[in-house]
Amino acid sequence: MSTEKVALGKRLFFETRLSSTGHYACASCHQPALAFTDGRDRAVGATGAFTRRGAMSLANVAYNPAFTWANTKVSSLESQMREPLFNDHPVEMGLTAGGAAAVDELSRDQTYRAQFSAAFPNDAAPLSMDHIIKAIAAFERTLISGRSPFDRYVFDDDREAMSAQAKRGMALFYSARVGCVQCHSGLTFSGPILYEGHTTDTALFANTGLYDVDGHGAYPPSDRGLFEITHHAADMGKFRVPTLRNVALTGPYMHDGTLASLDAVLDHYTRGGHKSPRQDSRVRAFELSAEERAELLAFLDSLTDREFVSNPEFRP
Ligand code: HEC
Ligand code: HEC
């Protein structure tokens, strides 16, 4: 990571010339104001084709032990990036032939040539697809969200940062009865993370009982989660526990955006999902009074980091 690499990566993150149509960028689906999501149930690519999943928040992705909604094998930001850049079914950014045309196009831009040379000094051919990917990954690693009211309350001891209602919601979130923290734990509220000196944890995947199409816990054939990668029956419907940071801004919810609001998410959990045989035992029905529901929603809202979503460092 260097200042030059991050600045170049930021420019490339918003660069529409990195798409087959010349009108699409990473930021088309990962918008800063929405904590780097797109407000859609499922993401739409450069040519208008729907992908089958929702765009994920990029807040704190530097700490992820695994990437995307349901894959144990995508273990770096660099390898993840090949999907949106080169996928052709469905098209996301739609680059072909390893992005040769885009590299060519950017090579004609004098400021890019200077920026690549500064970011990759000592390199005979600084402007390459490999370096485009490395620079964008460097930018992504700066997307740290940790200034929400929750953070100020917990880490800065700012007693006023959270309302009394949100504090009661926090107690519910961490309680044995409601039990969200059993999966949404740690600094990112997504379970185990990687950080300096702590680099071996694996990501947490769970079936939350969102679907049971056959009475045996099957998910729809359009998306069966981790099962598609491992082909183990036990992985049917398992998705990676997503971050809850900035969650008030990242709807609609779940991997396919089928839950329109946080209220709908709480309906899903209080019902205990579909109570399917493949469901994680930590997702089970519980009672929530109207007052407690409002408290839990206030807590989720306290995870919104206004500094993060309005940070000029993350804007073009
Ligand atoms: C068409 C919309 C679209 C575009 C364009 C797009 N993404 Fe995504 N992004 C998604 C979707 C959808 C997912 C979830 C994919 C999955 O689970 O299969 C995702 C997931 C990710 C993740 C994984 C996050 C996590 O927590 O695991 C990262 C990182 C990411 N995208 C970065 C990028 C970068 C960098 C670019 C530009 C090179 C980009 N995306 C372009 C839609 C898009
Ligand atoms: C067994 C582990 C587990 C428990 C317990 C759990 N979750 Fe989740 N949560 C997940 C997984 C996995 C997903 C993604 C599921 C999917 O997309 O199909 C998810 C998704 C979500 C989402 C959607 C996030 C997004 O970006 O779309 C919200 C909000 C959420 N959970 C809140 C909660 C709350 C509140 C509780 C407590 C009432 C809770 N969760 C309990 C595992 C869990």
Side-chain angles (χ1 to χ4, degrees):
M1 298 259 292
S2 65
T3 318
E4 290 80 8
K5 223 178 267 180
V6 171
L8 172 62
K10 172 166 102 167
R11 186 171 174 206
L12 292 165
F13 188 85
F14 293 93
E15 179 54 76
T16 54
R17 284 178 279 182
L18 284 181
S19 66
S20 57
T21 57
H23 299 292
Y24 233 63
C26 304
S28 305
C29 297
H30 297 288
Q31 302 167 19
L34 299 176
F36 296 90
T37 62
D38 63 357
R40 296 175 182 270
D41 50 357
R42 290 174 299 133
V44 175
T47 56
F50 272 91
T51 65
R52 62 183 182 154
R53 292 179 180 160
M56 305 180 86
S57 172
L58 303 185
N60 306 315
V61 277
Y63 299 106
N64 276 16
F67 297 89
T68 77
W69 278 105
N71 197 332
T72 40
K73 293 180 182 148
V74 185
S75 57
S76 73
L77 286 167
E78 288 82 356
S79 61
Q80 185 282 327
M81 224 178 296
R82 302 202 165 267
E83 297 186 21
L85 287 170
F86 304 121
N87 265 359
D88 56 4
H89 190 74
V91 163
E92 292 183 57
M93 300 170 78
L95 296 185
T96 53
V103 169
D104 233 39
E105 176 81 23
L106 299 191
S107 303
R108 282 195 282 275
D109 183 320
Q110 202 181 330
T111 53
Y112 263 130
R113 285 206 304 274
Q115 277 183 292
F116 275 93
S117 298
F120 300 95
N122 318 322
D123 206 298
L127 209 165
S128 64
M129 191 39 81
D130 186 41
H131 288 168
I132 288 174
I133 289 173
K134 286 195 168 124
I136 296 178
F139 170 63
E140 288 181 289
R141 292 190 177 98
T142 67
L143 302 176
I144 304 298
S145 176
R147 296 296 301 153
S148 66
F150 165 83
D151 295 295
R152 282 186 273 124
Y153 175 66
V154 172
F155 301 110
D156 300 352
D157 199 29
D158 175 355
R159 304 276 113 188
E160 307 299 309
M162 277 172 77
S163 67
Q165 188 189 36
K167 286 177 200 165
R168 288 194 297 272
M170 181 169 159
L172 289 168
F173 186 91
Y174 289 97
S175 70
R177 170 164 64 99
V178 176
C180 314
V181 74
Q182 294 186 73
C183 298
H184 296 283
S185 60
L187 211 58
T188 59
F189 296 88
S190 65
I193 55 171
L194 304 181
Y195 50 93
E196 198 144 48
H198 183 99
T199 53
T200 52
D201 255 345
T202 48
L204 180 60
F205 295 83
N207 174 321
T208 61
L210 191 62
Y211 293 102
D212 180 5
V213 296
D214 65 351
H216 302 289
Y219 267 45
S222 53
D223 200 343
R224 293 171 298 176
L226 194 54
F227 173 81
E228 295 181 0
I229 304 294
T230 65
H231 305 290
H232 294 151
D235 290 334
M236 172 61 75
K238 281 193 184 172
F239 289 84
R240 195 160 60 77
V241 178
T243 183
L244 297 185
R245 286 189 172 273
N246 307 296
V247 73
L249 306 175
T250 64
Y253 300 102
M254 313 312 252
H255 66 276
D256 56 359
T258 44
L259 301 183
S261 62
L262 287 174
D263 235 341
V265 171
L266 292 186
D267 286 342
H268 161 76
Y269 282 115
T270 52
R271 218 187 289 125
H274 275 90
K275 304 187 177 71
S276 101
R278 292 260 170 243
Q279 186 173 316
D280 194 295
S281 60
R282 291 167 288 193
V283 176
R284 31 155 189 67
F286 59 91
E287 299 277 329
L288 205 59
S289 71
E291 200 181 347
E292 289 174 328
R293 175 180 284 252
E295 289 165 356
L296 201 46
L297 290 172
F299 169 65
L300 293 175
D301 205 46
S302 78
L303 302 178
T304 305
D305 179 352
R306 301 272 160 213
E307 284 178 36
F308 177 69
V309 295
S310 59
N311 191 339
E313 300 287 334
F314 305 150
R315 298 290 173 115

